[in-house]
Amino acid sequence: MKPKSSTLIVGLTWGDEAKGKIVDILARDHDCVVRYNGGNNAGHTVAFGGETYKLHLVPSGLFHENITCVIGGGVVVDPKVLLEEITKNEPKALHLRQRLLVSSRAHTIWPWHSKLEALSEKHQGKGKIGTTLRGIGPAYADKANRVTAIRMGEFLRPEHLEKKVQRIVEQKNQVFEKVFGEPGLDAAAIWREYAAYGEALRPMIADTTAYLLNAIDDGRRLLFEGAQGTLLDIDHGTYPYVTSSNASACGAWTGTGVPARALGQILGVVKAYTTRVGEGPFPTELKDALGDQIREQGHEYGTTTGRPRRCGWLDTFAIRYAARINSIDGIVITLLDVLGGLPELKICTGYTVGGRALTDFPDDPLALEQAQPILESLTPWKEDVSGVRDYRDLPLAARRYVKRVEEIIGAPVRIISVGPSREQTIFRQ
Ligand code: IMP
């Protein structure tokens, strides 16, 4: 195996850590950008040249003409959304169709998935997950179920797939009609629409596992782009309020076929504060004017659904857990500029449950719901840091904040983002 020059970018909280910007910046030092999990529940924002681009499925390296973008087998692909995203971004992402590869192993999202999810969430009432309603969970459920799943590679044999779609819709319609009392779907109409998407995507469908393994042998540098964050990981996150894929670094090995040992470094991304969308416990949430102030200063509204994000203090207890799960080499702090001008500044260093301090991040959702954050006050700063490019030019209080995060997490802060554009970035040795 050649020297390990690949990088993995992973969110350490509940997603929305501004990973898209970081991937876009680091892409210039790599040859391929690879998505390994999730689907169009993700919303990655990239800003340059005065424009902002919101991406859901295509890896955030698309605007670099020399980069190959790979959608790995661990991703669930909505063919309609993927085509729309390619078409919309083609004017800026030159020759995208020639440099985008979609794994033949990736599973697909169909209209029955989003319909089932909407019915199921409605049926749950208060106990709902608060999903993005993009059909992600039902598509991964079908993947585990196998007999009702469809992979991208099946679009290469449309005559077989047409019959399979017919059979699956018959089965799904039983559930819609008999369980939910809802009208079923029209298999023929769905097939007409999706066969055309399959035809358009056909040239991009490939065995990406073989492609990536060969790329490593050839010394090409891969950049893995995680979607969502470690606390939303189906196995290691705050279950059941999680997404349906492995959003932590371990999703990269299963979601691409590239072995963990081929990786050079893992960078964990956190915002300078913590946010969460959807339901589920969030110990450092600020349900007051300060939380509203952070939401407004940080424009904390979902890229995919537009929902207001819940905002709170930086939760280093949760982040330390995520950092260990991912075995990170370094930290990226984003949106540091948003904290400027807050009347007070705190970070969470631990939790108590029933008056007792926890030693480890809870595995039990009820304990997490009852957890009280142990908060440490730090000196706030008033200055606008969005123009700072050198770490030494940050106000002393901001540097102390960064240092404290490093101390608690036990890893160096390598990159600090102080605004959405590529230039608003501080690199540290
Ligand atoms: P799903 O992924 O649509 O099934 O939603 C499950 C949970 O993950 C919900 O709480 C969503 O709000 C959350 N979620 C899914 N994708 C993202 C994301 O990209 N950023 C932040 N939260 C997400």
Side-chain angles (χ1 to χ4, degrees), residues 31-155:
D31 302 297
C32 296
V33 179
V34 191
R35 264 284 297 271
Y36 60 80
N37 76 299
N40 58 309
N41 47 351
H44 293 171
T45 306
V46 174
F48 64 94
E51 300 282 336
T52 300
Y53 303 87
K54 292 177 193 292
L55 309 166
H56 303 283
L57 264 173
V58 179
S60 303
L62 78 166
F63 298 114
H64 299 264
E65 223 186 310
N66 52 339
I67 291 272
T68 305
C69 292
V70 176
I71 295 180
V75 175
V76 280
V77 177
D78 184 326
K80 180 180 184 169
V81 174
L82 179 57
L83 261 181
E84 281 170 2
E85 201 168 302
I86 293 169
T87 310
K88 189 171 163 199
N89 289 296
E90 255 168 338
K92 269 276 150 62
L94 299 177
H95 313 298
L96 182 57
R97 285 178 204 244
Q98 285 83 58
R99 53 189 182 83
L100 174 65
L101 298 176
V102 186
S103 173
S104 51
R105 294 178 173 89
H107 283 252
T108 50
I109 302 182
W110 294 73
W112 51 87
H113 292 126
S114 31
K115 183 175 167 87
L116 182 63
E117 183 169 23
L119 289 168
S120 159
E121 281 281 274
K122 194 168 145 212
H123 193 73
Q124 293 298 323
K126 279 198 154 178
K128 68 178 182 177
I129 304 289
T131 71
T132 60
L133 299 176
R134 298 299 190 264
I136 305 293
Y140 278 114
D142 274 336
K143 173 179 178 175
N145 195 35
R146 290 150 296 160
V147 287
T148 46
I150 297 171
R151 304 202 298 178
M152 282 302 295
E154 293 178 73
F155 278 117

Side-chain angles (χ1 to χ4, degrees), residues 174-416:
Q174 297 277 319
V175 176
F176 292 134
E177 288 159 12
K178 297 192 174 141
V179 177
F180 292 102
E182 286 280 325
L185 295 169
D186 179 347
I190 292 176
W191 176 246
R192 271 196 301 281
E193 187 184 343
Y194 279 67
Y197 301 146
E199 203 42 45
L201 291 170
R202 184 186 255 272
M204 291 165 255
I205 301 172
D207 178 352
T208 56
T209 302
Y211 176 86
L212 292 171
L213 293 174
N214 291 333
I216 291 174
D217 286 346
D218 294 344
R220 301 185 78 207
R221 300 153 303 170
L222 312 182
L223 178 60
F224 293 88
E225 176 178 29
Q228 292 86 44
T230 305
L231 301 179
L232 286 174
D233 183 288
I234 180 100
D235 290 300
H236 308 293
T238 54
Y239 195 90
Y241 299 103
V242 293
T243 190
S244 311
S245 65
N246 284 117
S248 61
C250 56
W253 347 133
T254 51
T256 65
V258 174
R261 288 176 185 218
L263 265 184
Q265 59 167 347
I266 300 179
L267 297 179
V269 188
V270 294
K271 272 196 261 223
Y273 46 94
T274 304
T275 63
R276 169 160 215 179
V277 261
E279 308 302 318
F282 178 9
T284 64
E285 182 170 12
L286 289 163
K287 294 181 180 166
D288 55 11
L290 207 50
D292 295 342
Q293 187 179 344
I294 295 176
R295 184 177 309 107
E296 292 317 311
Q297 288 185 193
H299 311 291
E300 292 295 350
Y301 294 88
T303 313
T304 300
T305 59
R307 291 181 290 178
R309 295 181 185 139
R310 300 154 67 191
C311 299
W313 297 126
L314 187 73
D315 187 344
T316 61
F317 193 58
I319 292 168
R320 187 160 181 275
Y321 161 72
R324 292 171 80 199
I325 288 279
N326 292 300
S327 179
I328 63 164
D329 298 291
I331 305 169
V332 179
I333 297 184
T334 61
L335 291 121
L336 187 72
D337 52 306
V338 172
L339 294 184
L342 290 187
E344 53 177 324
L345 189 58
K346 292 182 181 167
I347 54 174
C348 164
T349 57
Y351 299 158
T352 59
V353 173
R356 288 188 30 202
L358 300 186
T359 49
D360 293 295
F361 188 74
D363 57 346
D364 168 16
L366 273 183
L368 193 60
E369 224 145 76
Q370 291 161 4
Q372 294 298 319
I374 300 169
L375 295 172
E376 183 177 302
S377 289
L378 293 163
T379 312
W381 62 92
K382 287 197 178 58
E383 294 89 335
D384 171 9
V385 300
S386 62
V388 175
R389 301 291 176 265
D390 187 321
Y391 182 70
R392 289 165 299 189
D393 295 334
L394 282 175
L396 181 62
R399 277 181 280 145
R400 285 205 173 128
Y401 191 76
V402 171
K403 271 250 150 304
R404 190 69 187 114
V405 172
E406 287 182 323
E407 266 166 27
I408 298 171
I409 308 302
V413 171
R414 294 264 176 79
I415 301 172
I416 300 169

